[in-house]
Amino acid sequence: HKYTGTYLHMLVTATIMLGIMEKEGFVGCGYDVEEADLMPFKNFGKIPGVCKISHFLGLTVLAMGIFTSFGLARFPVLK
């Protein structure tokens, strides 16, 4: 049970993130690139507002998944 629950938790987190990514494709989250985009954060203003919100939600889900995975883990007690 402890392995299945942890595995299921990771799969649900990945499924939520893939769902957000799929919806971003429907909206058209992106911008035109003519040359190598070496500093993508400089083009953050070119991304539509709704995509910025979905990026934030995706990062929030990722952080929650990582932190709850640490919460589920049993670390040895150091004395």
Side-chain angles (χ1 to χ4, degrees), residues 58-75:
L59 290 172
T60 302
V61 168
L62 177 64
M64 286 175 48
I66 291 171
F67 292 143
T68 54
S69 294
F70 278 122
L72 292 171
R74 292 188 176 201
F75 295 107

Side-chain angles (χ1 to χ4, degrees), residues 15 17 20-22 34-35 44 46 53 57 60 73 76:
T15 303
M17 292 185 61
I20 291 172
M21 188 174 75
E22 181 184 19
E34 284 93 30
E35 58 186 44
F44 187 71
K46 296 179 183 177
I53 294 170
L57 290 174
T60 302

Side-chain angles (χ1 to χ4, degrees), residues 1-13 68-69 72-73:
H1 176 263
K2 64 181 178 179
Y3 298 115
T4 306
T6 304
Y7 185 67
L8 184 64
H9 171 69
M10 291 180 193
L11 285 177
V12 168
T13 302
T68 54
S69 294
L72 292 171

